[in-house]
Amino acid sequence: MRTRLYKDGAVVKKGFPIADVSDYVCDDDCVVWFDLCAPTPEELGVISEELGLHELAVEDVLNDHQRPKVDIYDTHLFITVYGVYLDEAGDLDPVEMNIFVTGNALVTVRENDRFAIDEVVARWDASTQTARHGVGFLLHGLLDYVVDGQFDLVQTLDGQVEELEDALFGGNGNIRELQRRTFRLRKNMVRFRKVTLPMREVVSTLFRRETQVVNAEMGPYYQDVYDHVLRVTDWVDSLRELISNLRETQLAQQGFRLNEIMKRLTGWAAIIAVPTAITGFYGQNVPYPGEGQPWGFWMSSVVVAGASVALYTVFKKKDWL
């Protein structure tokens, strides 16, 4: 657990226990932030008593995999967002972050320690000029980090799509490997869209006057976050469509290769059929020219060879072989 106390935009105290929070939030000049990582129900109960949190919001924290959202209660806001990362296997690994926002307190509850809260704190410490805006400043730094992480990830996925295009049209890699990469990208993109698309509603809700979080001076900063959210969602939709087109192209290429193979097999079957027909005729129990004579054998061999070469020449010229 990490705690901080801000006063007049400056950090005046760190590492105090949660039991002291109620003493600080009574002072309108103080802003309190504390962070919990995978807390127990008992720890959440203590926070709920200190800040008067709604029981439904606390219940949502205990139930994982919430949709990104903003719930407005009488005394606070409850926000759910996701930090996004790729695991060692290349699969999308979103980390849930739940946020309680009161008039002068911000509580962050992380699903696990993969969410780099230290980077958020570093952003807060680097923006001392806007720290005087209290909770609105803290919430902006957190959302800005989340959205920037999503923007970085969509750039990474875009690079993977370009590599897949090069492999598809450059003939690099086997078909199964390309299919595996395509389905992994498609799966990641579907999960990523579920995380990023609701962020438009999350950020736009904070602009509403009844939330009383974003003042006039912090408005442009939240507008910048909202613009980044729109860019990410548009980019995700474009990549999803591009991946679908790549999958259709793969299927079309496979069909084309199959047609090429069938065309060549048919050509060779036609070439083989001619000598088979000629030797079949000579194998009948009826007299034919040259029967029982050496020249008859040589004549049939010349006819078989000549017909086969003629068919091969014609098929090759028509690019059937």
Side-chain angles (χ1 to χ4, degrees):
M1 183 186 66
R2 300 181 59 175
T3 56
R4 273 192 174 193
L5 176 63
Y6 289 83
K7 192 168 186 178
D8 297 327
V11 180
V12 296
K13 195 172 184 179
K14 298 180 182 179
F16 52 87
I18 294 180
D20 296 344
V21 170
S22 57
D23 298 332
Y24 298 129
V25 294
C26 295
D27 187 350
D28 293 337
D29 295 331
C30 293
V31 174
V32 177
W33 166 73
F34 55 95
D35 170 74
L36 298 174
C37 182
T40 63
E42 291 75 17
E43 291 174 333
L44 288 176
V46 173
I47 297 173
S48 178
E49 293 179 1
E50 291 292 322
L51 297 178
L53 304 178
H54 199 282
E55 60 180 357
L56 292 178
V58 176
E59 182 180 347
D60 285 343
V61 175
L62 297 174
N63 297 325
D64 295 334
H65 309 299
Q66 297 290 323
R67 182 178 183 272
K69 62 178 181 177
V70 176
D71 292 335
I72 303 177
Y73 297 97
D74 292 337
T75 59
H76 65 91
L77 302 179
F78 176 72
I79 305 173
T80 300
V81 295
Y82 284 86
V84 287
Y85 309 91
L86 292 177
D87 60 18
E88 296 179 356
D91 295 324
L92 187 68
D93 183 21
V95 179
E96 184 174 346
M97 165 68 83
N98 296 294
I99 310 165
F100 295 97
V101 184
T102 69
N104 56 347
L106 182 76
V107 182
T108 55
V109 184
R110 293 175 288 155
E111 181 181 8
N112 54 55
D113 57 2
R114 289 205 64 189
F115 192 99
I117 196 66
D118 289 335
E119 296 186 17
V120 178
V121 174
R123 293 193 179 205
W124 289 339
D125 294 340
S127 304
T128 55
Q129 295 180 350
T130 54
R132 57 187 176 85
H133 296 294
V135 173
F137 155 75
L138 297 176
L139 182 59
H140 167 264
L142 177 59
L143 294 178
D144 189 50
Y145 168 77
V146 170
V147 174
D148 284 350
Q150 295 175 355
F151 193 85
D152 292 339
L153 181 60
V154 77
Q155 286 182 311
T156 300
L157 295 177
D158 183 76
Q160 293 180 0
V161 172
E162 291 182 357
E163 292 177 359
L164 186 62
E165 287 180 334
D166 295 338
L168 179 62
F169 294 105
N172 300 326
N174 56 53
I175 295 177
R176 290 190 177 183
E177 176 65 17
L178 290 177
Q179 288 178 341
R180 184 186 64 81
R181 292 170 59 185
T182 301
F183 279 111
R184 170 171 289 173
L185 270 173
R186 188 175 182 181
K187 178 182 177 181
N188 286 342
M189 204 59 63
V190 170
R191 296 185 64 190
F192 192 34
R193 188 173 186 271
K194 291 180 181 179
V195 171
T196 57
L197 187 61
M199 286 297 295
R200 295 185 298 186
E201 182 181 353
V202 170
V203 180
S204 63
T205 301
L206 297 175
F207 281 112
R208 298 176 185 173
R209 185 169 301 175
E210 61 267 23
T211 62
Q212 298 180 352
V213 173
V214 182
N215 55 30
E217 295 183 8
M218 288 299 298
Y221 294 93
Y222 279 84
Q223 183 63 52
D224 180 68
V225 173
Y226 185 69
D227 292 340
H228 287 179
V229 169
L230 294 181
R231 290 182 61 188
V232 170
T233 53
D234 291 342
W235 203 343
V236 169
D237 289 337
S238 299
L239 289 180
R240 287 182 69 246
E241 183 178 353
L242 183 57
I243 292 174
S244 298
N245 292 337
L246 288 176
R247 178 56 184 159
E248 294 176 358
T249 302
Q250 285 182 357
L251 295 176
Q253 285 186 342
Q254 292 177 11
F256 177 76
R257 292 191 187 99
L258 181 61
N259 290 336
E260 285 290 316
I261 293 172
M262 294 302 299
K263 183 174 64 175
R264 295 178 187 278
L265 289 177
T266 303
W268 283 111
I271 294 175
I272 296 173
V274 172
T276 302
I278 294 174
T279 55
F281 275 113
Y282 273 86
Q284 295 185 65
N285 192 22
V286 292
Y288 275 92
E291 181 183 8
Q293 301 295 325
W295 64 269
F297 166 76
W298 292 111
M299 182 185 70
S300 63
S301 298
V302 170
V303 172
V304 169
S308 299
V309 170
L311 287 175
Y312 179 83
T313 302
V314 173
F315 291 161
K316 193 69 174 177
K317 185 176 182 181
K318 293 180 176 295
D319 196 25
W320 290 0
L321 292 175

